[in-house]
Amino acid sequence: MNAKAISFLVGLALVLAVQAQDQSGFISLDCGLPENSTYKEPTTKIDYISDAAYINSGESKSIKVNYKSFKQRQLRSLRSFRQETRNCYNISNIISQKKYLIRASFVYGNYDGLNKLPIFDLYFGDSLWDKVEITYLAGEVYKEIIHNPSVNRVQICLINTGTGIPFISALEFRPLPNDIYPIQFGSLSTLYRQNLGSNSIEKYRYPYDVFDRIWYAVNNDEYFIRLNTSLTINADGRNEYHPAAIVMETAITPKNSSQSINFKLESHDENTQYYIYLHFAELVKLQRKQFRGFNISHNGQYWDGPIIPDYLYPSSYYKTKPLEFPQKQHNFSFFRTENSTLPPIINALEIYFRIEISELESDQEDVDTMRKLKSTYGVIKDWQGDPCIPKAYPWNGVGCTNESIPRIISLNLSSSGLTGDISPVVSNLAALETLDLSNNGLTGKLPDSLSKLSNLKVLNLENNNLSCPIPPELLRRFNDNSLSLRVKGNPKLEAHPLSDCTEEQKGEKQKEKNKFVIPVVASVGGLLAISTIAGIVFCIARRKRKEKDKDVLEVDRSQTNKDIEGSSLKTRRRQFTYSEVVTMTNNFDQILGRGNFGAVYHGLIDDIQVAVKMLAPSAIQGHDQFKEEECICI
């Protein structure tokens, strides 16, 4: 077998090895794919799943048919967000302290038939990742960052800025070795990743690139000559960046061997910090007297070199510090060394700029409490992810502090369709200053736990169906003007001045005590009625017997007796009903005293004052003795 055939077989084996690589750690979300759906993308062989488990808003849409045929499958569907200002993905199955290439993909494809190219913001945590601007109907827009999350979850939000409906086609996470793309601090956002000298306009990504980086072909035949090889570029573990072999198989070199390779980078912001990564591989088998070596300058100053590319092996050059700034323009020149017989070459380059990613998170107890409230009441709002992050776009109805660990200080759930009792869990929002629960269907009493909200200044409960009691601590703060308590539109609360709501509470407690007394009274009601009547009759009769020598009336004779005020009482022997006794004693309002038989009450019969004795079931004297007891009419 000749050497060329051996090289071909080795190359084929390497390609197959790359294609056989697993996707360990890959997270690949097809946004808008029906829930629980999965598939293997035909060209990349990447396994995609639905995004439905990571977000609870948005609508699934598809790009127009005439754009689908030349798009990878994950770019044919999308999730559109028409309803809310903020819509957030929450990815919780990543590895903390692990470096990732994170990519969001967007293809408009006139999915809504409006031919309106939207512009919207993309946030990562509390930081503006980038502005997404769709420039043409079938265009593919990719936003990438290289980031090392400090926790095992990230939040990515799409923000409606009033210039079009946000949408997203795919969201992908690709783990990277922690020692590549080093940076002093911050994260990297992709500006360019270029495949130089390619004869194709095809983009290359996985499985050609083990990290699924996307390489774009750039052709500039006016100034450069293309170099290529049919042999495989073999990293052989010597280059940790693993630039795609198919990318490294082409390169550019100046048409004139004495010329340099020059390119420039212009910046809209002179303070932008850029990082550049250059990849080289010699594609020409040099003859004995041939030599290729070159240096690199940046804005006229030496940057690196001499660079002597290895034959069929990639080498990468970069700096851990950013290019010097402030600079509006960065000029690079690749020029050959004095002893070089061949001009410089370059196979591929990557340019990133530094961005700050804030992984700020709200107080965890506040977050947990808000999720419980959402679950308890079935709140239909754009409540996803962290309630206070991004700070500029908190949850609808939520206000937060501007601290390193934000706290919730206001919660507006007015007109949110809440029903049932006020959940005591709300008292876990310890920093809360304003709570608005107005215009709902809340019922029951105010939980005592609301008194725990020591920072509460405004409590709006208007237009519900709440009732007394109001916790005494809240009333105290209302009375000393440290709390604005609004209860208008609650009939059961409006029936009492707020200061009387605690009296209602006492009444409620008394009713609880009477739950045992009432059945006992009811069971002896008949006996009490008989005893009462007997008491009145014997009281009057006894008095008359004592006043024999005076003009005294017998109970069984119907005549008139004048009291000391001149009022009269017609007496006759008769029975009284229990309700009459209740009336004459004004519902047993005034107790004159107590004896062996029970209580004696003040009463009135036709304006004559009488004493009404009640025989208690527990009386230590019997019924006969009760009849003989003297009863005095006043």
mmCIF file of all heavy atoms in Angstrom, residues 425-449:
data_model
loop_
_atom_site.group_PDB
_atom_site.id
_atom_site.type_symbol
_atom_site.label_atom_id
_atom_site.label_comp_id
_atom_site.label_asym_id
_atom_site.label_seq_id
_atom_site.Cartn_x
_atom_site.Cartn_y
_atom_site.Cartn_z
ATOM 1 N N VAL A 425 -47.847 32.570 53.980
ATOM 2 C CA VAL A 425 -46.489 32.492 53.438
ATOM 3 C C VAL A 425 -45.980 33.854 53.001
ATOM 4 O O VAL A 425 -44.767 34.084 52.933
ATOM 5 C CB VAL A 425 -46.443 31.485 52.258
ATOM 6 C CG1 VAL A 425 -47.055 32.077 50.997
ATOM 7 C CG2 VAL A 425 -45.005 31.065 51.965
ATOM 8 N N VAL A 426 -46.905 34.807 52.743
ATOM 9 C CA VAL A 426 -46.480 36.136 52.303
ATOM 10 C C VAL A 426 -45.627 36.817 53.367
ATOM 11 O O VAL A 426 -44.812 37.692 53.062
ATOM 12 C CB VAL A 426 -47.717 36.998 51.936
ATOM 13 C CG1 VAL A 426 -48.470 37.450 53.176
ATOM 14 C CG2 VAL A 426 -47.310 38.216 51.105
ATOM 15 N N SER A 427 -45.795 36.399 54.620
ATOM 16 C CA SER A 427 -45.021 37.018 55.704
ATOM 17 C C SER A 427 -43.542 36.667 55.622
ATOM 18 O O SER A 427 -42.727 37.253 56.342
ATOM 19 C CB SER A 427 -45.580 36.594 57.061
ATOM 20 O OG SER A 427 -45.459 35.195 57.240
ATOM 21 N N ASN A 428 -43.162 35.723 54.750
ATOM 22 C CA ASN A 428 -41.741 35.390 54.571
ATOM 23 C C ASN A 428 -41.002 36.438 53.747
ATOM 24 O O ASN A 428 -39.773 36.386 53.661
ATOM 25 C CB ASN A 428 -41.599 34.027 53.909
ATOM 26 C CG ASN A 428 -42.103 32.898 54.793
ATOM 27 O OD1 ASN A 428 -42.070 33.001 56.012
ATOM 28 N ND2 ASN A 428 -42.563 31.817 54.195
ATOM 29 N N LEU A 429 -41.736 37.363 53.120
ATOM 30 C CA LEU A 429 -41.092 38.457 52.387
ATOM 31 C C LEU A 429 -40.718 39.534 53.396
ATOM 32 O O LEU A 429 -41.358 40.576 53.518
ATOM 33 C CB LEU A 429 -42.033 39.007 51.310
ATOM 34 C CG LEU A 429 -42.479 38.005 50.229
ATOM 35 C CD1 LEU A 429 -43.526 38.644 49.321
ATOM 36 C CD2 LEU A 429 -41.281 37.541 49.406
ATOM 37 N N ALA A 430 -39.652 39.270 54.138
ATOM 38 C CA ALA A 430 -39.332 40.067 55.320
ATOM 39 C C ALA A 430 -39.056 41.533 55.025
ATOM 40 O O ALA A 430 -39.235 42.381 55.902
ATOM 41 C CB ALA A 430 -38.128 39.443 56.032
ATOM 42 N N ALA A 431 -38.611 41.871 53.819
ATOM 43 C CA ALA A 431 -38.284 43.259 53.486
ATOM 44 C C ALA A 431 -39.465 44.018 52.900
ATOM 45 O O ALA A 431 -39.334 45.194 52.530
ATOM 46 C CB ALA A 431 -37.104 43.295 52.505
ATOM 47 N N LEU A 432 -40.626 43.379 52.823
ATOM 48 C CA LEU A 432 -41.782 43.966 52.138
ATOM 49 C C LEU A 432 -42.223 45.268 52.806
ATOM 50 O O LEU A 432 -42.418 45.319 54.022
ATOM 51 C CB LEU A 432 -42.932 42.961 52.119
ATOM 52 C CG LEU A 432 -44.013 43.161 51.059
ATOM 53 C CD1 LEU A 432 -43.424 43.028 49.660
ATOM 54 C CD2 LEU A 432 -45.129 42.137 51.242
ATOM 55 N N GLU A 433 -42.411 46.302 51.991
ATOM 56 C CA GLU A 433 -42.881 47.598 52.460
ATOM 57 C C GLU A 433 -44.289 47.918 51.967
ATOM 58 O O GLU A 433 -45.037 48.633 52.645
ATOM 59 C CB GLU A 433 -41.918 48.710 52.008
ATOM 60 C CG GLU A 433 -40.507 48.562 52.564
ATOM 61 C CD GLU A 433 -39.566 49.628 52.030
ATOM 62 O OE1 GLU A 433 -40.035 50.520 51.293
ATOM 63 O OE2 GLU A 433 -38.367 49.570 52.349
ATOM 64 N N THR A 434 -44.652 47.407 50.800
ATOM 65 C CA THR A 434 -45.972 47.669 50.226
ATOM 66 C C THR A 434 -46.568 46.359 49.737
ATOM 67 O O THR A 434 -45.935 45.630 48.982
ATOM 68 C CB THR A 434 -45.869 48.651 49.040
ATOM 69 O OG1 THR A 434 -45.298 49.883 49.496
ATOM 70 C CG2 THR A 434 -47.242 48.937 48.451
ATOM 71 N N LEU A 435 -47.803 46.087 50.173
ATOM 72 C CA LEU A 435 -48.528 44.891 49.747
ATOM 73 C C LEU A 435 -49.917 45.309 49.288
ATOM 74 O O LEU A 435 -50.702 45.845 50.072
ATOM 75 C CB LEU A 435 -48.629 43.883 50.889
ATOM 76 C CG LEU A 435 -49.437 42.602 50.607
ATOM 77 C CD1 LEU A 435 -48.837 41.838 49.441
ATOM 78 C CD2 LEU A 435 -49.496 41.715 51.848
ATOM 79 N N ASP A 436 -50.211 45.082 48.005
ATOM 80 C CA ASP A 436 -51.500 45.457 47.421
ATOM 81 C C ASP A 436 -52.234 44.195 46.988
ATOM 82 O O ASP A 436 -51.848 43.542 46.028
ATOM 83 C CB ASP A 436 -51.288 46.393 46.226
ATOM 84 C CG ASP A 436 -52.587 47.005 45.718
ATOM 85 O OD1 ASP A 436 -53.672 46.502 46.089
ATOM 86 O OD2 ASP A 436 -52.525 47.976 44.948
ATOM 87 N N LEU A 437 -53.301 43.869 47.729
ATOM 88 C CA LEU A 437 -54.127 42.692 47.419
ATOM 89 C C LEU A 437 -55.538 43.113 47.043
ATOM 90 O O LEU A 437 -56.472 42.310 47.115
ATOM 91 C CB LEU A 437 -54.179 41.754 48.634
ATOM 92 C CG LEU A 437 -52.836 41.189 49.122
ATOM 93 C CD1 LEU A 437 -53.024 40.387 50.394
ATOM 94 C CD2 LEU A 437 -52.182 40.337 48.051
ATOM 95 N N SER A 438 -55.706 44.344 46.622
ATOM 96 C CA SER A 438 -57.040 44.893 46.349
ATOM 97 C C SER A 438 -57.673 44.276 45.100
ATOM 98 O O SER A 438 -56.990 43.696 44.255
ATOM 99 C CB SER A 438 -56.948 46.409 46.180
ATOM 100 O OG SER A 438 -56.124 46.747 45.078
ATOM 101 N N ASN A 439 -59.010 44.402 45.048
ATOM 102 C CA ASN A 439 -59.789 43.998 43.861
ATOM 103 C C ASN A 439 -59.626 42.520 43.517
ATOM 104 O O ASN A 439 -59.404 42.148 42.378
ATOM 105 C CB ASN A 439 -59.409 44.874 42.655
ATOM 106 C CG ASN A 439 -59.585 46.343 42.932
ATOM 107 O OD1 ASN A 439 -60.630 46.774 43.391
ATOM 108 N ND2 ASN A 439 -58.542 47.118 42.674
ATOM 109 N N ASN A 440 -59.719 41.682 44.547
ATOM 110 C CA ASN A 440 -59.675 40.244 44.357
ATOM 111 C C ASN A 440 -60.879 39.611 45.045
ATOM 112 O O ASN A 440 -61.835 40.314 45.407
ATOM 113 C CB ASN A 440 -58.356 39.678 44.904
ATOM 114 C CG ASN A 440 -57.168 40.005 44.018
ATOM 115 O OD1 ASN A 440 -57.100 39.557 42.864
ATOM 116 N ND2 ASN A 440 -56.222 40.787 44.518
ATOM 117 N N GLY A 441 -60.874 38.320 45.242
ATOM 118 C CA GLY A 441 -61.960 37.615 45.911
ATOM 119 C C GLY A 441 -61.499 36.975 47.197
ATOM 120 O O GLY A 441 -61.955 35.879 47.544
ATOM 121 N N LEU A 442 -60.611 37.641 47.925
ATOM 122 C CA LEU A 442 -60.060 37.079 49.144
ATOM 123 C C LEU A 442 -61.100 37.082 50.261
ATOM 124 O O LEU A 442 -61.893 38.018 50.387
ATOM 125 C CB LEU A 442 -58.814 37.860 49.574
ATOM 126 C CG LEU A 442 -57.629 37.768 48.609
ATOM 127 C CD1 LEU A 442 -56.557 38.763 48.988
ATOM 128 C CD2 LEU A 442 -57.063 36.352 48.578
ATOM 129 N N THR A 443 -61.093 36.043 51.091
ATOM 130 C CA THR A 443 -62.060 35.908 52.174
ATOM 131 C C THR A 443 -61.330 35.561 53.468
ATOM 132 O O THR A 443 -60.120 35.360 53.480
ATOM 133 C CB THR A 443 -63.079 34.794 51.856
ATOM 134 O OG1 THR A 443 -62.366 33.577 51.591
ATOM 135 C CG2 THR A 443 -63.922 35.157 50.647
ATOM 136 N N GLY A 444 -62.123 35.491 54.562
ATOM 137 C CA GLY A 444 -61.556 35.085 55.836
ATOM 138 C C GLY A 444 -60.894 36.220 56.583
ATOM 139 O O GLY A 444 -61.013 37.393 56.229
ATOM 140 N N LYS A 445 -60.183 35.846 57.639
ATOM 141 C CA LYS A 445 -59.533 36.824 58.507
ATOM 142 C C LYS A 445 -58.109 37.094 58.026
ATOM 143 O O LYS A 445 -57.531 36.299 57.297
ATOM 144 C CB LYS A 445 -59.498 36.294 59.935
ATOM 145 C CG LYS A 445 -60.867 35.887 60.468
ATOM 146 C CD LYS A 445 -60.728 35.124 61.769
ATOM 147 C CE LYS A 445 -62.081 34.585 62.224
ATOM 148 N NZ LYS A 445 -61.970 33.786 63.461
ATOM 149 N N LEU A 446 -57.565 38.204 58.490
ATOM 150 C CA LEU A 446 -56.172 38.505 58.187
ATOM 151 C C LEU A 446 -55.287 37.638 59.074
ATOM 152 O O LEU A 446 -55.482 37.601 60.292
ATOM 153 C CB LEU A 446 -55.861 39.976 58.449
ATOM 154 C CG LEU A 446 -56.171 40.970 57.331
ATOM 155 C CD1 LEU A 446 -57.676 41.041 57.094
ATOM 156 C CD2 LEU A 446 -55.633 42.347 57.674
ATOM 157 N N PRO A 447 -54.335 36.914 58.487
ATOM 158 C CA PRO A 447 -53.488 36.048 59.313
ATOM 159 C C PRO A 447 -52.610 36.862 60.254
ATOM 160 O O PRO A 447 -52.114 37.940 59.902
ATOM 161 C CB PRO A 447 -52.643 35.293 58.268
ATOM 162 C CG PRO A 447 -52.654 36.162 57.059
ATOM 163 C CD PRO A 447 -53.981 36.864 57.057
ATOM 164 N N ASP A 448 -52.429 36.364 61.466
ATOM 165 C CA ASP A 448 -51.569 37.037 62.447
ATOM 166 C C ASP A 448 -50.150 37.188 61.922
ATOM 167 O O ASP A 448 -49.414 38.080 62.340
ATOM 168 C CB ASP A 448 -51.554 36.252 63.764
ATOM 169 C CG ASP A 448 -52.883 36.340 64.504
ATOM 170 O OD1 ASP A 448 -53.610 37.333 64.292
ATOM 171 O OD2 ASP A 448 -53.197 35.420 65.280
ATOM 172 N N SER A 449 -49.750 36.301 61.002
ATOM 173 C CA SER A 449 -48.369 36.333 60.491
ATOM 174 C C SER A 449 -48.052 37.625 59.773
ATOM 175 O O SER A 449 -46.875 37.992 59.626
ATOM 176 C CB SER A 449 -48.129 35.141 59.557
ATOM 177 O OG SER A 449 -49.054 35.150 58.487
#
